[in-house]
Every structure is written in C-alpha cells, then in structure tokens.
Amino acid sequence: MPYIPHTDADRAAMLAAIGITKLEELFDAIPAEHRFPPLNLPEALSEMEALWELQALASHNAVAPEYAIFLGAGAYNHYIPSVINHILMRGEFYTAYTPYQPEVSQGTLQATFEWQSMIAKLTGMDAANASHYDGATSFAEAVTVALTHHKQKRNKVILSPNIHPQYRAVARTYHQGNGTRFVGDKSGRATLDDLLDLLDENTAMFAVQYPNFFGQIEDFSNLAQKVHASGALLCIVTTPIALGLLKPPGALGADIVVGEGQSLGIPLSFGGPYLGFFAVREELVRKIAGRIVGDTIDSDGRRAYVMTLRPREQDIRREKATSNICTNQALMALAGCIYLALMGKHGLRRVAEVCYHKAHYAAERIAQLRGYHVNTRLPFFNEFVVTCPRPVAEINRYLLEKHQIIGGYDLSRDYPDRENQMLIAVTEMNTRAEIDALVQALEAAAQNS
Amino acid sequence: MTTQTAQAKALEPLIYELSSSGRKAETLMPKLDVPESAPLPAHLLRDSLELPEVSELDVVRHFVRLSQLNYAIDKGFYPLGSCTMKYNPKIGEDTARLPGFANLHPLQAPETAQGALALMYTLQQWLCEISGMKGCSLQPAAGAQGELAGILMIRAYHQERGDTRRTKILVPDSAHGTNPATSAMAGYTVVTLPSDARGGVDLDALRAAADETVAGMMITVPSTLGVFDENIQEIIKIVHNRGGLMYMDGANMNALLGVVKPGELGFDVMHFNLHKTFSTPHGGGGPGSGPVTVNEKLLPYLPGPIVAIVEEATDSEGAPRYGFVMPEKSIGRLKAFHGNFGMLVRAYTYIALHGAEGLKAISHHAVLNANYVRVRLADAYKVPYNRMCGHEVVIEGRFPDAPDIRALDISKRLMDYGFHPPTNYFPLIVHEALLIEPTESESKETLDRFIEAMHAIAREAREAPELLRSAPHTTPVSRVDEVYAARNLTLCCRLPSAE
C-alpha cells in the first residue's frame, strides 16, 4: 500500500501489544451491519499511471500560453516570478500546520507578520490579518466586523452594484441566518449618490469596489465623510496590483479594506486556492476574525512572533466567536509576501504601469473598430467594458475557435441589461502581438455575423 | 514593534530591515511594447509605497532561512491530534501544477475546461461513494466552511417546510470549537450536550434536549476524544424522531475510510477535510478544502455551482459534456469561483493512487498506530478513555506526584526530543489534554521513539521538573511570551526610518 511503512512483523507486534489478532478487531465498536462496506472506486494506480491520467485531464483544458487570455473579472493572469514556487515547494513551509507551537514555527509566523505588514502598507491601513479564503469571503467577514462593531444593533448593509457579483453573493450566503439586509445592488444601475441616499442610522456598512468590477476608478474623494456621518463603516474592496499606482483605500477613509490577493504570485488554478486579504483601522483590530500574528520576545529576550488575540477565535470562544474560521490560506499568503518582497517598492509600481498602458493601448485600438464601443467615461486601470455588435458568447466562441483567444467576461451573465457587454482585462502577460491579434479578431468577429 | 522587540536580537531580520533604498530585484518586467498612454490624473495616484527594496538573492536567502525555523512533516513526526498530519505525497504537488490546471481561468467557458470539470465531477462521485451520500459540493474552502454549508442547508430544509420553530443546534461538549461557532454564525442557539463516562454522548441529556425546537445536531465520528460512540445509531434516531437533521463533522474521517459510510449510519450531511483525510498539504495553516456530501433530503440545497453531466456521451468511446449547475434551492455560493481547485487535484491524485483497498488500509493502519501508542503510554500517563480508540488517543498531561507540570510543559519538552507536540488543551473536557494522532504513514520505529520520549519526559517530570518547565531548550527560540504579544500589540512592522 502506498505510504504505509508497516511490515508484517510490525503489524503482528503491534496487534499483540494491543491484545488482538486481526486489524479488523480494531473496529468492533462500529455497528456490524455497516462495518466494512464495499467501496466502488477504480483500481489503485501507480504513480506514473496517476500522473498520465492527470496529464490527460489537464490536456483537455485550454490555457495560456497556447491561448491568449483577456479574461479577468476577479482572477488575473499575471507573471509569477520563479523564486515563489521554489520557496513554496520547501517542505518546511508547505508540510507544516498552523503555528500553534511558536517555538518550532517561527518561519511561518515571521512570514505572516511580514505579509500583514506589507498589506497594511499597501492598503494604507493600520493592521491586517493572516488571510481569509479568498476576496469574496474576506468581504463576507467584513460584514461581520461591521455588524459586531455596531453590537448587532444595525443590520443594513449597502452594496454598490459595482462590487464583484460573486462577492455580493457570498456575503448574502454567509449572512442569510442573522437577519442582515443587503440593499443597493438590486437594479445594477444605482449611482454612488443613489447609494448614499440609502444611508441611515440602521446602516452598519457601506461597501464599494476600487477599481470597481468594471475596471473603473470611481470618485470616492468625499465618500468616507458622508458614510461616517451616519455612523456606518466604509468597506473598500480592492485589488493589490492597482495599488502599485493608486492612492491607497486608507487614504480615502476606508475602515475595512478587503480583496483578492491572487494577483500576487498565485496561479489561476481554476479559481483556487486564492488569498483573501483583510485590513482595518486600529480601533477595529480586536473585532476581526482569523489568525493574527504579533511580535513578542522569548524567555531569553530574543525577538519572536506568535499568534495573538487568540481569545477572539472559535477554538476558545466557541459559540461566542464571530466567525468559525480556523485554517486560512497561509501558504498563499507566503506566496503573496514573497511576491511583494521581490517586486518591492519599484517593481509593484512598474507592473501596475505596464498593465495600465497595455490596457489603454488595447482599449484605444478596440474603440476604433466599427461596431464596438469602449466605455471611457471614468478613468480605468487594466479592465474596461466594450459594447460589442453581437452577443459576447458568440464573439468569444469565434475568438476561441478561430484565433485561440480567450475573450473577456460576458457581463450579461450577472447584469441582464448589459447585453453585448464584454469586460476585457489586460495584464503584463499580454504582448502587443496578442493585443493586436485580439483587435483584428474582434474586427473579423463583427463582420462574420 | 515595541522598543523592546525592535532592539531584541532577531534570528532573522524582517524583510523590511534588509531593505536598502534604491535596491531592486527588477529583472522581471519586459520593456513596454506599446506606446505609453496619458497617465492617470495625479490626484488618483499614491505618494509613496512602503514595500521593501531588496535583491532577488536577499529574498531567496531570507525565506530559505525562515523555512529552516519551521518544524514540518517532512522533517519529523507531527502527531497533532485532530489535524491528520500524514505524509503529503510529492506527486500531488506536480499534478496540481500541471499547466493545464494551474493556468486555467475560473470563468472560462466550460467547453474549454472539460478536463477540470471531469476531475471535479469524478471527485464528487468518489466522495459520495466513500461517505455513502447522494450529492456533493466541492465549494467549501475549508472544514469550517463545510460546516457552515451544512448548517445553512439544514436551516434551508426546515424553512422550506415552513418549520420555523427550530432554533437550536445540539453540540456535544467534546466538539471542535468550529461546531458551536458555525451554529451561531448560521443564526442558531447552541445547546451543549455533556459526555458520559465512556466519552460518548450522554443519552439522557440528549433525550431531554431533543425537542421540536432542535434543527439538528453536529457530531464528530469518531469523537474528538478518539472513541467511536457505540450509541451512534441511537443518537441519530433520537434526533431524527424529533425532526432534526444530523451533521457529521468529518475531521476524523481518517479512521473511517472503507470502515463505515456515514450516510449508511443515517447522517444527512457531512464535510470532508481534504487536507486531513486525503493528504493535501496543510501549508502552514491553509489552504484547506472542505467538500460537503448530503443525502436525498438535502440535495436541492447544496452550495453551488456544482459539476454535472449536461450532455451524455453519444457513444461508448466519447466523453460526456460537463458543466456547472446551481442546485434548485441552493443556499448559494460560499466563495468566489469553484472551491480550492488545486487541492481538489491533489485529493483526486491521492485517491487514484489508493483505490478502495488502499483507502481501507489507511484507516486500518491509522487506527492501529493510535491504539499502539495508547497501550504503550497507558502505564506512564492517564488515558481517560482507555478502550479501543479511533485514529487518535487523548491522554492527560499531568502527574499527581509532579503537581507543577502541565500538558504545555510536556509539549514543549517533546520538541527537545525532536517531535512536534500533540494538540494540547483539546478536547476541553479532558484535564490537561494531549491529543495524539500518529497517522498511518508513521512506522513502528518512529512510534517507538516517540513513546520512549514520552516515558523519558514522564520520568523527568518527577526527577527534574525544571527541565520541562523551562523547555524547549533546543528550538530556534525558547519559550515564547504570548502574554507580552497580547499586551504590547504589534501586528506589523513600524520602521522609524521608513516613515
């Protein structure tokens, strides 16, 4: 059997020590009629056969670099520096568990402390936690913080329709049992002023996305003041590469900043594992869920790191904990930490600039095409909305089959009134040749109707 | 940092402390191959970005040195109870990183992701087969999310039937903290059930608590005390008779593979921890993966989307067409996209390598190892539930004739012997609990060395207690001051030079 080292002699000696003669006797407490049911599973494979089978499955997926990819909408095809995988593959990191015993976990603990530090600086906030499962669950946990902050006396959460639809959906799933009312995103057309009109003394949180789901940078300059006037907390959902350039959400007055860290050196991997980051103002630190690492000293006065504020957590507080989160995405946070260290102050800004310029080049070229319209009403970062002459699904099928291009996101999937609207993402991984090929293919797609 | 921590001698400086103004690791970006566009308006831009300025070699050395400060399965025995720290086969790291998986965007058209969907569909089927259930969602990102999914499904089930009086979830006092926390998150009141003298659920207390206001019960099998509750069918019957549903916390599934199917016992819903039972690496605290499986009652409520066959194969050679579907009355999405797919690939690989007989052997040997440790430790430590256990055993880390010694001291001293400590202080109902889970991948020789160390520590507790109380002595740092951290809260670097 794979990975079971016991010899026949070992088994015999161990059974004798226990005082039984057969392995099956270990399970006498299980109701006899249900004991040892047949399992209908395929025959065990050898390692090479398993690899072949998985390679065969993987080969049925269309991926970069064979395909040019212009799909984003919350997950992005960024370059992953080689260093990251080499570090992540160290068994000392990936075969350890939650650092409950700090004396033998300083590696994970210090890396987490560094990750928290970088996320705090990047978002312009005071503190960050070790991570959540992904951007969407970070957002759902932000709602919990807001409800807790208001001692459950406010139950209304205002959602901009320009927040990622799946993030809004996850927040609703998480809070379906506690009476939270989510408002603002029903029609999909509400403006910031419409949303501000919904603010009242029952509002726990006001949430926007920056840049928004459509890639636009909305004007949030006076937003915090208005939100805070009602006593609500302001949550800004953001994306870390954009923050290489943009004013940090902390400077816009956010109380909670959350988002998806996948862009920071984590593969697309069909949606996970990703990395939810979570940052807050100082006064909210004790209300946040999830692991938090702080610095301290050991009994010899040396610097050390340790999980702190533990009494907030489920294993201690049980039903009084505000969240049940236990594991987080530690290894993914390590990837993010290495990415930010490698790119550094200059590199992150440079990636952001390259994405920005390439996206704008693509947008300008597409805007010149007959039948296509690019929405440039607001400044944008690396994603933009194109209104197409035909349904997006049809265009994407053409791009895929004739040009090996994975086109943008079909916005009508989440916003029925955004018929024919495609959300295109451009990153540093898209060469000019790819962008030009996309432009030509879109032109041909319009004519091929 | 406080002045004290900032000035303290560090094993490895913070990455920010390695930073040097103007240094770059920037071989990574190609030259811009498009014309520059007009820049964003200045008022939208940030003034400064406080990230480190280090070279690539600085980064590599820093993180390699940090890695060396960790204990890990790849270094030695890691009997952390309830966490199933078994060997993580390396092949899983290779399969999850195949470009056809790693580069796949989650929002691609299903036609371009049939390999990934086929893998997910098959894994759903396998998990149903292993658990004796009818439906599966791979969406939950961790066990705790699987629990939330399960309790929200139970809630939706009762609401759909107009049964709105049910406001309580029953949870044994031995349960993982996630169980009561989950129930509360889903809007339920938690009723804690006491355990009986044998470590099972107190049936009288259960009968008294199980009324028509109970929505369901969460229970771990085998229990967190490491024992299989002989009354499990009676427990399930009592709750079902009152209209409640049964949730099985699958954290201890490593004891049950091919041994019993929870669905056949009568459970309505359960979660798996793929990072425990199917050995996807724990990653220093995640990512995990916590799929849920359900019986017919809860099928329509599964979190989604899930993978289904949307068009059968047209001939025996062809493959069916897979797609995502949202279950009819789904509780909704639990995370963006489709679950921790990379962990699904690893779990699929692991199950494929084992087959039915291999899975059964896992549980047989995991339980064999735990019972071997139990009988060999029973003369040196109190084993509060000293009967045949599951895949883990709980002992008491205290000695009547060494009153100053606590479970924590034993844990810390074990590090000096080269072992990761067991889980300490859980379950909460055992005094000075040490929960030991050896797993099937450890050899008799390793277990014997561990047992010898535990015996040696029991002797030291009497003869040289200070050795335990000041342990560990051989780790990168000595005993860490957790109280200092909480009192002088510093959660990120504050560098006077940088600000």
Side-chain angles (χ1 to χ4, degrees), chain A residues 416-430:
Chain A
D417 63 339
R418 289 180 177 268
E419 214 178 315
N420 294 7
Q421 291 191 18
M422 183 192 283
L423 179 65
I424 289 181
V426 185
T427 73
E428 77 281 10
M429 298 282 271
N430 297 112

Side-chain angles (χ1 to χ4, degrees), chain A residues 36 40 53 166 173 270 296 356, chain B residues 38 104 129 259 333 348 481:
Chain A
F36 309 131
N40 180 18
E53 179 169 319
Q166 297 194 359
T173 303
F270 208 41
T296 186
Y356 174 84
Chain B
L104 187 61
E129 172 64 16
V259 170
R333 258 186 188 286
Y348 179 104
D481 190 342

Side-chain angles (χ1 to χ4, degrees), chain B residues 294-314:
Chain B
V294 296
N295 64 12
E296 289 94 344
K297 280 183 225 167
L298 295 179
L299 264 183
Y301 306 99
L302 277 172
I306 60 175
V307 180
I309 291 178
V310 292
E311 196 180 299
E312 290 294 344
T314 43

Side-chain angles (χ1 to χ4, degrees), chain B residues 151-286:
Chain B
I151 298 306
L152 289 176
M153 281 189 269
I154 290 173
R155 182 175 176 277
Y157 170 85
H158 292 308
Q159 293 223 324
E160 170 77 17
R161 295 151 52 91
D163 195 350
T164 52
R165 293 165 304 171
R166 298 183 183 272
T167 55
K168 296 176 193 156
I169 296 282
L170 307 177
V171 180
D173 58 3
S174 60
H176 296 117
T178 47
N179 293 178
T182 298
S183 303
M185 249 176 115
Y188 283 109
T189 305
V190 175
V191 178
T192 306
L193 296 176
S195 299
D196 66 16
R198 283 177 60 73
V201 172
D202 183 322
L203 286 183
D204 292 333
L206 172 63
R207 284 194 194 94
D211 58 26
E212 61 290 341
T213 66
V214 168
M217 174 167 178
M218 300 184 85
I219 187 168
T220 309
V221 181
S223 81
T224 57
L225 298 167
V227 293
F228 193 89
D229 196 322
E230 292 114 328
N231 297 321
I232 192 70
Q233 288 174 298
E234 180 64 18
I235 293 167
I236 292 170
K237 205 168 111 191
I238 292 169
V239 174
H240 277 166
N241 282 347
R242 292 306 190 130
L245 298 189
M246 288 298 296
Y247 185 92
M248 191 183 106
D249 180 327
N252 293 347
M253 202 58 203
N254 212 42
L256 302 184
L257 301 172
V259 170
V260 67
K261 295 182 176 180
E264 291 184 0
L265 285 175
F267 282 101
D268 300 291
V269 48
M270 69 167 286
H271 80 263
F272 286 89
N273 298 88
L274 298 186
H275 49 290
K276 298 178 183 175
T277 315
F278 301 112
S279 207
T280 74
H282 283 69

Side-chain angles (χ1 to χ4, degrees), chain A residues 8-262:
Chain A
D8 288 342
D10 292 337
R11 261 186 299 270
M14 295 169 83
L15 288 170
I18 298 166
I20 55 177
T21 54
K22 293 203 309 276
L23 281 176
E24 287 71 21
E25 291 171 57
L26 293 165
F27 300 100
D28 284 352
I30 309 266
E33 69 271 30
H34 297 301
R35 211 182 296 156
F36 309 131
L39 283 185
N40 180 18
L41 295 172
E43 282 289 297
L45 301 180
S46 64
E47 184 174 301
M48 71 179 86
E49 291 167 309
L51 181 61
W52 294 335
E53 179 169 319
L54 273 290
Q55 282 171 337
L57 284 168
S59 74
H60 288 108
N61 300 323
V63 294
E66 290 76 28
Y67 290 76
I69 177 160
F70 291 93
L71 187 55
Y76 301 93
N77 183 35
H78 286 290
Y79 182 68
I80 300 175
S82 181
V83 168
I84 293 179
N85 220 15
H86 286 272
I87 302 290
L88 290 196
M89 292 282 269
R90 290 191 69 93
E92 298 94 323
F93 278 129
Y94 83 85
T95 74
Y97 196 27
T98 304
Y100 294 114
Q101 300 287 350
E103 295 83 2
V104 287
S105 311
Q106 286 297 303
T108 295
L109 286 163
Q110 183 169 332
T112 306
F113 185 83
E114 292 177 356
W115 161 252
Q116 291 173 182
S117 304
M118 291 185 205
I119 282 298
K121 310 254 185 232
L122 189 61
T123 56
M125 303 299 280
D126 297 321
N129 75 0
S131 63
H132 282 290
Y133 307 129
D134 69 356
T137 61
S138 271
F139 182 58
E141 294 277 2
V143 174
T144 307
V145 169
L147 298 173
T148 310
H149 175 73
H150 293 290
K151 301 188 169 63
Q152 323 299 330
K153 292 198 174 81
R154 296 178 175 215
N155 70 349
K156 184 164 129 185
V157 172
I158 299 171
L159 298 178
S160 162
N162 303 344
I163 294 174
H164 196 301
Q166 297 194 359
Y167 290 26
R168 289 183 276 122
V170 170
R172 285 186 162 92
T173 303
Y174 264 56
H175 295 282
Q176 61 190 271
N178 65 13
T180 306
R181 280 197 308 128
F182 292 94
V183 299
D185 61 336
K186 200 168 175 192
S187 77
R189 290 205 196 89
T191 64
L192 203 52
D193 285 335
D194 296 336
L195 297 172
L196 285 167
D197 285 343
L198 298 171
L199 273 171
D200 58 21
E201 71 290 344
N202 193 31
T203 307
M205 186 171 106
F206 187 99
V208 293
Q209 186 169 327
Y210 168 77
N212 69 24
F213 182 61
F214 308 106
Q216 300 163 319
I217 303 161
E218 296 181 58
D219 181 7
F220 294 145
S221 48
N222 297 314
L223 178 62
Q225 202 188 345
K226 293 171 185 162
V227 171
H228 290 154
S230 77
L233 296 183
L234 174 61
C235 174
I236 297 185
V237 180
T238 188
T239 185
I241 301 287
L243 297 185
L245 272 178
L246 298 182
K247 189 174 273 188
L252 299 170
D255 300 290
I256 308 173
V257 179
V258 299
E260 177 51 67
Q262 175 270 329

